[in-house]
Amino acid sequence: MRTSAGMENSQPRFDSAPINESTYRWFVVRVLLIMGLLQIASSVALVMYFSHQIAQVSSNCSMQNNAQCLNESQWKAIQDLLEKNKQESLAPVADALIGPRREFRVPERLHCKTKKDQKQSALPPEKPSAHLPIRADKNFIQNTTRPTMIYWDSSNGLAHIHNMSYSDGKIKVNQEGLYYVYAKTCFRHNLEVSEELRAVENGIQLLQYVYHIKHTRQHENLLLMKSGSVKHWNKHVKFRLYCIHQGGLFPLKSGDDLFVKVSYASLLDPTQEASYLGAFKLE
C-alpha cells in the first residue's frame, strides 16, 4: 500500500486549467482585433466612396448649368447610414461623411439651380397684362364711316404681352379675373394726305368702340365702351388732331377676347404713342 501510494505521489501532476484560460484569452483578443480591423477598413472604404461621390456631384453642379445633384432620397439614405454609424460609436467616420454635406449645400428641391434660375424663382408669378400699339403698316379703306377693326403690333416698340395672347386684332384673356381695359386712338386731319376730308364740310363723326367677345357657345359681342365726337374739319383747315381715350374695370373669363373698332380708320395716327390697346389684371 505504501509502495502504491508512493508511486502515485511520485508521478508528476499536470494542471491544464492555466493553459486553457490563457489560450482562450489570446483567442478572444485576436478575434476582437480582427473585427476591429475589419470595421475600421469598412468605415474607411465608406468615407472614401461617399467623399468621392459628393466631390464629383459638387464639381458637376458648379461646372454645368443643367447638372443633376443628389436628390433628397439619396441624402436621406446617407443620413440614415450616419445615424447608424453614430449609434455604433463611429463618430469620426460620421463626421467625415457629413462634412462634405455641410460644405456643399444642396437645395431643398431635387435639382441644382443656377443663380439666374434662383433669381427668377424668387420673383412672384407675372400678372396678365398687355399693351399693344397700332400697326403702322396697316392700310385702312378710305371714305367710309363704317366701324373698322384695328390691328395691333405685339412684338415691336412699346409692345408687351404677358400671360395673355394676341391674334388677328384681338387680345385673348387666359386667366379669369377683374381687368382694367383701356384704349386710345388719335385721328389727324392733314389735307396733304387726307383727300377724303376735302368734301367734308358739315362735320365728320369720329367714334371709338371697345368690344368684348364673351367666351360662350354663341361667342356674343358685347360693347364695353364707346366714345367720340363730331368734328368740323373742312378744306380751310390744314391740320387738326383729335384723340379718344377710354378705360374701365371689367370681369373677364379665360378665352374672352378684346378688340377695338373706329370710324374713319384711315385717319388714325400710326405712331405707337398715339394709338394703342391694353389690359391688365388687378389683385
Side-chain angles (χ1 to χ4, degrees):
M1 296 295 294
R2 291 181 178 178
T3 305
S4 176
M7 291 177 66
E8 291 179 356
N9 292 333
S10 62
Q11 292 179 355
R13 294 181 178 179
F14 298 96
D15 190 2
S16 60
I19 298 176
N20 293 336
E21 183 178 357
S22 176
T23 302
Y24 175 76
R25 289 180 179 178
W26 173 242
F27 175 79
V28 171
V29 170
R30 284 188 298 177
V31 170
L32 292 178
L33 181 61
I34 293 173
M35 291 179 62
L37 292 176
L38 290 176
Q39 190 173 20
I40 292 175
S42 62
S43 301
V44 171
L46 287 175
V47 170
M48 295 177 64
Y49 174 78
F50 285 112
S51 298
H52 174 71
Q53 293 295 324
I54 293 173
Q56 185 177 4
V57 171
S58 175
S59 177
N60 291 339
C61 287
S62 61
M63 296 177 62
Q64 300 179 4
N65 292 335
N66 298 324
Q68 292 185 347
C69 298
L70 293 180
N71 57 34
E72 292 178 344
S73 62
Q74 291 172 322
W75 282 119
K76 187 176 183 302
I78 294 176
Q79 290 176 349
D80 293 340
L81 179 61
L82 298 183
E83 293 297 331
K84 182 178 179 180
N85 288 336
K86 286 183 179 179
Q87 293 176 2
E88 296 177 354
S89 301
L90 294 177
V93 177
D95 291 339
L97 285 174
I98 203 171
R101 170 62 168 165
R102 292 173 178 171
E103 296 176 1
F104 174 60
R105 296 181 180 178
V106 176
E108 294 298 330
R109 296 186 179 180
L110 297 181
H111 299 286
C112 285
K113 293 184 177 181
T114 62
K115 293 183 178 180
K116 182 178 179 181
D117 294 334
Q118 293 175 352
K119 183 177 180 181
Q120 291 178 350
S121 62
L123 297 176
E126 198 166 17
K127 295 180 182 179
S129 64
H131 180 90
L132 307 181
I134 191 172
R135 277 183 53 183
D137 59 344
K138 186 66 177 179
N139 296 322
F140 297 99
I141 301 175
Q142 298 184 356
N143 298 319
T144 178
T145 59
R146 183 178 179 179
T148 304
M149 180 183 292
I150 307 304
Y151 293 85
W152 313 96
D153 191 340
S154 60
S155 58
N156 298 311
L158 300 176
H160 74 266
I161 185 164
H162 304 289
N163 293 328
M164 305 181 79
S165 56
Y166 170 78
S167 177
D168 197 25
K170 304 180 185 68
I171 294 179
K172 183 174 291 294
V173 177
N174 296 330
Q175 296 182 15
E176 180 177 356
L178 184 65
Y179 286 77
Y180 181 78
V181 182
Y182 61 91
K184 178 187 175 186
T185 50
C186 285
F187 303 87
R188 61 183 184 180
H189 169 206
N190 190 337
L191 291 179
E192 296 179 357
V193 296
S194 304
E195 296 292 337
E196 60 184 340
L197 292 181
R198 295 181 182 275
V200 179
E201 296 182 356
N202 296 325
I204 182 173
Q205 190 178 36
L206 303 175
L207 299 173
Q208 174 182 276
Y209 306 88
V210 179
Y211 284 94
H212 165 215
I213 300 181
K214 194 173 182 180
H215 184 61
T216 61
R217 293 182 179 179
Q218 292 76 20
H219 291 280
E220 55 183 326
N221 293 355
L222 300 178
L223 181 60
L224 297 182
M225 294 176 285
K226 175 184 177 180
S227 185
S229 179
V230 176
K231 296 298 179 180
H232 294 276
W233 291 350
N234 53 51
K235 60 183 180 181
H236 302 292
V237 179
K238 183 177 180 180
F239 182 82
R240 291 285 182 89
L241 181 67
Y242 173 65
C243 296
I244 304 174
H245 187 278
Q246 299 178 95
L249 293 174
F250 304 96
L252 303 176
K253 295 185 177 181
S254 178
D256 291 353
D257 293 322
L258 300 169
F259 66 95
V260 174
K261 286 186 176 183
V262 298
S263 62
Y264 290 96
S266 60
L267 297 178
L268 287 176
D269 190 331
T271 59
Q272 60 180 350
E273 300 86 0
S275 302
Y276 47 79
L277 171 64
F280 58 87
K281 184 181 178 181
L282 301 178
E283 288 288 353

